[in-house]
Amino acid sequence: MSDAGIHINLILALVNLLPIPPLDGGRMLVAALPYRLASWVARLEPYGMVIVLLLLFSGGLSMILWPLYALFRQFFLSLVGIGV
């Protein structure tokens, strides 16, 4: 059960941190960029969910998330001494 909980929460956290404007990662990106670039990125917000869905259905989302997922999963499991 704990493995399933780690799996689901890690995927949700990584998806939420994608630098696409309606997600939290997009808001962090806008805050970190200079004004000109931030305003350009902020204008993508109405299309953000379409971008996420296109990434999901094209397989691009898994190509982005899988290496990050594997890295963070290994890190969290080693923290509790399970280490796979």
Side-chain angles (χ1 to χ4, degrees), residues 8-56:
I8 290 170
N9 282 302
L10 191 54
I11 287 176
L12 288 174
L14 290 173
V15 168
N16 197 30
L17 288 175
L18 286 175
I20 300 172
L23 303 173
D24 288 339
R27 302 217 188 265
M28 291 173 18
L29 179 65
V30 168
L33 289 174
Y35 179 76
R36 276 183 101 173
L37 289 173
S39 64
W40 183 81
V41 171
R43 281 186 267 148
L44 292 175
E45 188 163 351
Y47 312 106
M49 279 299 136
V50 174
I51 294 169
V52 171
L53 289 174
L54 286 173
L55 284 171
L56 177 67

